[in-house]
């Protein structure tokens, strides 16, 4: 609220006219249904990239939920607000992607839901969770893999440093962490010339017998 933008354009903020402003992280939400706001947001990002051509990565973080929703621009069409807002955001991203098609951009907390199918074509990867516990990430990424390709999720676990793991290839779920005290999955490229296997030991009770893992997706006539 204490910004030049707000002081110049208070009508660019989403807020109910009959209620006090509601702050979260001391922030308000811009009304992206307004074409002038769309142009402003685009110019901020485009101006930054133009002035700093060496920028190699952007994290687009959405850390503020939408509350006290009312658009001065939409007037009597408030029922359109949520849909028009998202479509307007996509419009800004479309323009940025057209000008910067090769710039890696991560989406974090997209719409409060972390990931968003509609935004997948604009972003290189998603940050799936702030929980970087190695054990819990196994379960998260197992479930994540049912809906999104592995290359779209950015992963690191804090106890192992911040190495970003990226994969390319068909995914085979060999052993589910929900069925055994371990998890196993593997990726195989289309030519079946390379594969990578991940096997995680979770909470193995004393004396439990762990059988062999049967691999999938490989060429039976090749030696790996």
């Amino acid at each position: 609220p204490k910004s030049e933008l707000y002081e110049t354009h208070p009508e660019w903020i989403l807020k109910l006219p009959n209620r006090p402003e509601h702050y979260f992280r001391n922030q308000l939400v811009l009304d992206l249904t307004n074409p002038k706001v769309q142009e402003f947001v685009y110019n901020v990002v485009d101006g930054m990239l133009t002035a700093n051509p060496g920028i190699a990565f952007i994290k687009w973080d959405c850390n503020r939920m939408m509350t006290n929703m009312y658009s001065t621009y939409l007037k009597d069409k408030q029922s359109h607000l949520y849909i028009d807002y998202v479509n307007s955001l996509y419009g800004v991203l479309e323009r940025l992607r057209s000008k910067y098609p090769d710039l890696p951009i991560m989406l974090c907390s997209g719409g409060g839901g972390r990931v968003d199918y509609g935004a997948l074509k604009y972003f290189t990867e998603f940050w799936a969770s702030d929980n970087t516990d190695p054990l819990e990430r196994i379960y998260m990424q197992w479930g994540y893999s049912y809906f999104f390709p592995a290359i779209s999720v950015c992963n690191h676990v804090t106890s192992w440093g911040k190495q970003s793991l990226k994969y390319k290839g068909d995914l085979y779920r060999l052993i589910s962490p929900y069925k055994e005290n371990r998890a196993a999955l593997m990726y195989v490229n289309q030519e079946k010339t390379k594969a990578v296997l991940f096997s995680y030991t979770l909470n193995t009770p004393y004396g439990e017998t762990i059988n062999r893992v049967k691999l999938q997706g490989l060429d039976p006539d090749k030696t790996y």
Side-chain angles (χ1 to χ4, degrees), residues 37-136:
V37 178
Q38 297 169 34
E39 188 68 20
F40 169 80
V41 172
Y42 171 81
N43 287 332
V44 167
V45 182
D46 179 51
M48 176 184 63
L49 293 173
T50 301
N52 303 277
I55 290 178
F57 178 84
I58 287 181
K59 178 182 178 183
W60 193 291
D61 216 338
C62 310
N63 277 332
R64 201 330 188 157
M65 78 286 284
M66 301 163 76
T67 55
N68 282 16
M69 298 288 290
Y70 181 87
S71 167
T72 303
Y73 174 79
L74 290 179
K75 298 178 182 177
D76 60 342
K77 296 181 180 179
Q78 296 302 313
S79 62
H80 298 196
L81 179 53
Y82 283 96
I83 294 175
D84 286 0
Y85 183 97
V86 173
N87 286 333
S88 298
L89 173 61
Y90 289 171
V92 172
L93 295 171
E94 184 72 44
R95 291 179 63 188
L96 289 170
R97 265 297 172 223
S98 297
K99 188 171 181 179
Y100 306 97
D102 300 320
L103 177 67
I105 307 178
M106 178 205 291
L107 177 62
C108 181
S109 194
R114 291 287 173 188
V115 293
D116 173 10
Y117 266 116
L120 184 60
K121 62 182 178 180
Y122 304 119
F123 291 91
T124 313
E125 58 191 4
F126 294 122
W127 177 241
S129 175
D130 286 339
N131 186 337
T132 54
D133 179 273
L135 177 62
E136 295 190 16

Side-chain angles (χ1 to χ4, degrees), residues 135-150:
L135 177 62
E136 295 190 16
R137 290 294 290 207
I138 293 173
Y139 293 95
M140 291 179 196
Q141 290 161 211
W142 185 276
Y144 186 100
S145 70
Y146 281 101
F147 299 96
F148 293 92

